[in-house]
């Protein structure tokens, strides 16, 4: 290990050389020379019996190494010209069919907290909070990490705008069956046929998936408020309630369950391995990072702080406000309305303002996109917009206002389009 004194001296010398535009390999050599005798100018040892160890410190210079395919390549481009950030062309990717933002902004503290809950044998987590706060992104990021660790991850989303969410649930269960290896699928098929209740069928299927994945199974259920009673939080769909019941059992034999919802589920924490985490508003720093990511360049920190407080740091609300700023709308008046409104109405207010600025064919396209409860390629958009001229321009305008989200399909190597969930909710 390197002495603290030597490490500090090395870092100072390296940074000084780089700041003078030296090549990195030369900067490294200068920094190594700076610690050829790291204790020479430190006043020696207070304990005179250890003075001989000063000579032993001379070997510190050989510890820092540079690994590079091209050691002569400059570390810094000194001709760099700052450019405003470009918004992402493809804003989303998928994990197990669940759309996630390409870049995960902020929420590092919450990600650590959820990771700690999982490592503490709390295998089933309910994440609640207002719409637009980033619940899906957060659990999706957590699921990505688990997938990289070798877990089998399967996800289902139940958005409020989906008139066919029940159909999508049956499709999800069918996909779980198809995930089984042929030999195991044949065995479990007989069990499923003989089962008398949905809970029994779910239990057999979960056991089979746990067996196949060697106990490393993750089920992610997103936007569960769609199937909850708003007054009590109770799950109103019998099949989904049966599956949640089937996920109970010995903590060592239960899957990891990640759920997002706006509301708490009654009696969720009665089991020791089930935890509830309410997602607080993102920090102001995360809010600013996201604002820069979507192309914001507002310099008035007082105004940004006011906006942060008005929308409680809501990321989706920030996207809409940024879009409103590109229109001929009185921002100050709108900001005042936001500050005076209830939190759950703020996103709807922003959408309403944006909707009023749309041309007739833009409104038509937005409403017709409700026909799809999943993202579609451009061919799907054309099917429902054959009477709309300049479709590409119209679609791009709605994307720029965050009313339509864009994804990238790696299998088809094509873009996919979908209504932003909160927009579809408002249109409904």
């Amino acid at each position: 290990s390197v002495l603290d004194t030597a490490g500090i001296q090395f870092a100072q010398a390296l940074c000084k050389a780089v700041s003078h535009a030296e090549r990195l390999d030369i900067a490294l050599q200068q920094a190594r020379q700076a610690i050829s005798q790291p204790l020479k100018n430190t006043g020696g040892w207070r304990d005179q019996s250890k003075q001989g160890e000063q000579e032993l410190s001379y070997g510190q210079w050989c510890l820092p190494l540079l690994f590079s395919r091209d050691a002569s390549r400059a570390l810094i481009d000194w001709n760099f010209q700052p450019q405003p950030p470009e918004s992402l062309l493809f804003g989303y990717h998928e994990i197990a069919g669940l759309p996630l933002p390409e870049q995960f902004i902020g929420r590092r503290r919450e990600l650590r907290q959820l990771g700690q809950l999982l490592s503490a044998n709390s295998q089933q987590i309910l994440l609640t909070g207002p719409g637009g706060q980033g619940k899906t992104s957060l659990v999706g990021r957590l699921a990505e990490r688990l997938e990289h660790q070798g877990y089998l991850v399967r996800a289902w989303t139940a958005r409020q705008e989906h008139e066919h969410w029940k159909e999508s649930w049956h499709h999800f269960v069918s996909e779980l069956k198809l995930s089984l290896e042929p030999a195991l699928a044949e065995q479990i098929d007989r069990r499923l046929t003989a089962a008398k209740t949905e809970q029994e069928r779910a239990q057999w299927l979960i056991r089979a998936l746990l067996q196949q994945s060697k106990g490393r199974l993750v089920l992610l259920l997103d936007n569960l408020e769609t199937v909850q009673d708003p007054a009590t939080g109770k799950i109103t769909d019998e099949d989904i309630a049966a599956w949640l019941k089937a996920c109970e059992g010995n903590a060592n034999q239960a899957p990891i369950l990640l759920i997002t919802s706006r509301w708490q589920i009654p009696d969720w924490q009665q089991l020791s391995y089930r935890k509830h985490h309410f997602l607080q508003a993102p920090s102001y720093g995360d809010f600013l990072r996201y604002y820069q990511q979507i192309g914001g360049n507002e310099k008035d920190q007082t105004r940004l702080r006011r906006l942060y407080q008005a929308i409680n740091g809501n990321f989706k609300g920030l996207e809409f406000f940024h879009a409103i700023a590109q229109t001929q709308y009185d921002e100050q008046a709108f900001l005042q309305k936001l500050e005076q409104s209830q939190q759950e109405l703020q996103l709807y207010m922003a959408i309403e303002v944006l909707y009023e600025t749309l041309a007739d064919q833009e409104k038509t396209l937005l409403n017709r996109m409700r026909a799809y409860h999943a993202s579609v390629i451009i061919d799907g958009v054309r099917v429902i917009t054959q009477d709309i001229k300049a479709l590409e321009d119209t679609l791009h305008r709605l994307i720029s206002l965050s009313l339509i989200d864009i994804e990238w399909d790696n299998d088809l190597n094509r873009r996919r389009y979908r209504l932003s969930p909160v927009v579809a909710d408002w249109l409904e």
Side-chain angles (χ1 to χ4, degrees):
S1 61
V2 68
L3 292 170
D4 287 345
T5 299
I8 293 169
Q9 291 174 358
F10 175 84
Q12 290 174 337
L14 181 72
C15 292
K16 182 178 179 180
V18 170
S19 69
H20 287 116
E22 287 287 6
R23 281 176 16 189
L24 187 54
D25 56 332
I26 295 176
L28 175 77
Q29 291 301 87
Q30 291 182 4
R32 293 174 87 187
Q33 290 169 9
I35 60 169
S36 60
Q37 299 183 41
L39 301 179
K40 183 176 180 180
N41 299 315
T42 59
W45 298 94
R46 293 182 180 177
D47 185 348
Q48 297 299 316
S49 65
K50 292 187 177 182
Q51 282 189 349
E53 296 189 21
Q54 182 167 327
E55 292 185 10
L56 296 179
S57 74
Y58 294 171
Q60 299 285 297
W61 66 270
C62 65
L63 294 177
L65 302 175
L66 168 65
F67 294 90
S68 174
R69 288 190 176 89
D70 182 6
S72 63
R73 183 179 179 183
L75 181 66
I76 296 174
D77 178 7
W78 296 100
N79 296 317
F80 171 75
Q81 295 296 323
Q83 299 292 332
E86 297 181 4
S87 57
L88 290 172
L89 178 60
F90 307 121
Y92 292 82
H93 69 286
E94 288 190 354
I95 176 172
L98 182 70
L100 296 175
E102 284 288 352
Q103 292 196 1
F104 184 75
I105 304 296
R107 295 294 194 183
R108 303 294 174 185
R109 179 185 59 192
E110 291 85 353
L111 192 59
R112 283 196 303 272
Q113 289 172 341
L114 294 180
Q116 288 167 357
L117 283 178
L118 286 179
S119 63
N121 219 22
S122 298
Q123 290 181 279
Q124 302 186 354
I125 298 174
L126 170 65
L127 185 66
T128 63
Q133 290 281 49
K135 299 187 297 294
T136 300
S137 298
L138 189 55
V139 295
R141 181 68 168 179
L142 187 59
E144 275 185 317
R145 289 187 170 184
L146 291 169
E147 189 174 56
H148 292 156
Q149 295 171 20
Y151 282 82
L152 173 65
V153 178
R154 292 294 179 265
W156 176 71
T157 184
R159 297 198 178 93
Q160 286 184 313
E161 75 275 11
H162 288 184
E163 297 176 1
H164 308 290
W165 66 262
K166 186 70 174 179
E167 178 184 331
S168 74
W169 171 258
H170 290 316
H171 178 72
F172 169 67
V173 175
S174 298
E175 287 293 320
L176 289 179
K177 295 177 185 176
L178 292 174
S179 299
L180 294 173
E181 297 169 350
L184 191 55
E186 186 177 348
Q187 294 177 23
I188 202 67
D189 195 48
R190 292 192 294 270
R191 299 284 190 180
L192 294 177
T193 303
K196 297 180 179 180
T197 66
E198 183 63 22
Q199 182 177 332
E200 193 176 346
R201 282 188 286 271
Q203 286 172 332
W204 280 115
L205 190 50
I206 289 170
R207 287 176 192 171
L209 289 167
L210 283 169
Q211 179 182 334
Q212 178 174 301
S213 62
K214 296 181 174 59
R216 299 166 75 83
L217 173 66
V218 179
L219 298 179
L220 195 164
L221 307 181
D222 184 40
N223 290 335
L224 217 62
E225 68 270 5
T226 303
V227 294
Q228 287 180 261
D229 183 332
T232 65
K234 182 180 178 181
I235 302 296
T236 56
D237 182 80
E238 293 181 358
D239 287 350
I240 295 176
W243 270 78
L244 292 182
K245 193 72 177 174
C247 287
E248 297 178 4
N250 188 305
N252 296 323
Q253 299 174 350
I256 290 178
L257 188 60
L258 303 176
I259 296 178
T260 72
S261 175
R262 296 184 186 180
W263 307 312
Q264 168 72 286
I265 297 175
D267 303 325
W268 174 257
Q269 297 190 88
Q270 281 190 349
L271 299 173
S272 61
Y273 54 87
R274 281 187 168 174
K275 299 297 181 184
H276 170 231
H277 185 93
F278 179 77
L279 188 60
Q280 303 286 347
S283 69
Y284 184 58
D286 288 348
F287 185 78
L288 291 182
R289 284 186 62 205
Y290 193 73
Y291 183 63
Q292 293 168 349
Q293 178 64 34
I294 62 177
N297 57 5
E298 174 63 54
K299 298 295 190 288
D300 186 350
Q301 289 294 319
T302 301
R303 175 177 169 278
L304 284 175
R305 175 69 73 171
R306 184 180 168 195
L307 175 61
Y308 169 74
Q309 294 172 343
I311 63 177
N312 199 33
N314 191 291
F315 285 155
K316 199 63 181 179
L318 178 58
E319 287 184 28
F320 291 143
F321 191 89
H322 178 59
I324 288 171
Q326 317 306 313
T327 67
Q328 302 298 316
Y329 197 80
D330 187 342
E331 291 181 49
Q332 291 298 326
F334 180 65
L335 190 54
Q336 279 188 328
K337 289 181 183 179
L338 283 182
E339 291 171 328
Q340 296 166 1
S341 68
Q342 297 179 2
Q343 185 175 335
E344 61 268 22
L345 298 179
Q346 291 169 344
L347 288 180
Y348 288 167
M349 289 173 58
I351 297 169
E352 187 171 3
V353 168
L354 290 174
Y355 190 80
E356 291 171 356
T357 68
L358 300 180
D360 289 342
Q361 67 178 16
E362 291 169 344
K363 292 180 180 178
T364 299
L365 173 55
L366 199 65
N367 278 286
R368 289 183 184 175
M369 284 295 290
R370 295 168 57 199
Y372 295 114
H373 55 85
S375 59
V376 294
I377 59 176
I378 190 65
D379 298 343
V381 180
R382 289 195 180 102
V383 166
I384 60 174
T385 57
Q386 296 180 21
D387 57 333
I388 293 180
K389 298 179 180 179
L391 174 60
E392 297 281 355
D393 293 340
T394 304
L395 192 58
H396 187 270
R397 160 82 168 155
L398 296 175
I399 292 169
S400 69
L401 296 176
S402 293
L403 297 172
I404 286 181
D405 293 335
I406 192 168
E407 305 167 11
W408 184 251
D409 190 318
N410 289 320
D411 294 329
L412 297 178
N413 200 31
R414 300 185 71 178
R415 305 176 194 180
R416 299 179 71 94
Y417 306 92
R418 68 180 179 118
L419 272 179
S420 177
V422 69
V423 174
D425 194 14
W426 178 81
L427 287 171
E428 187 68 28

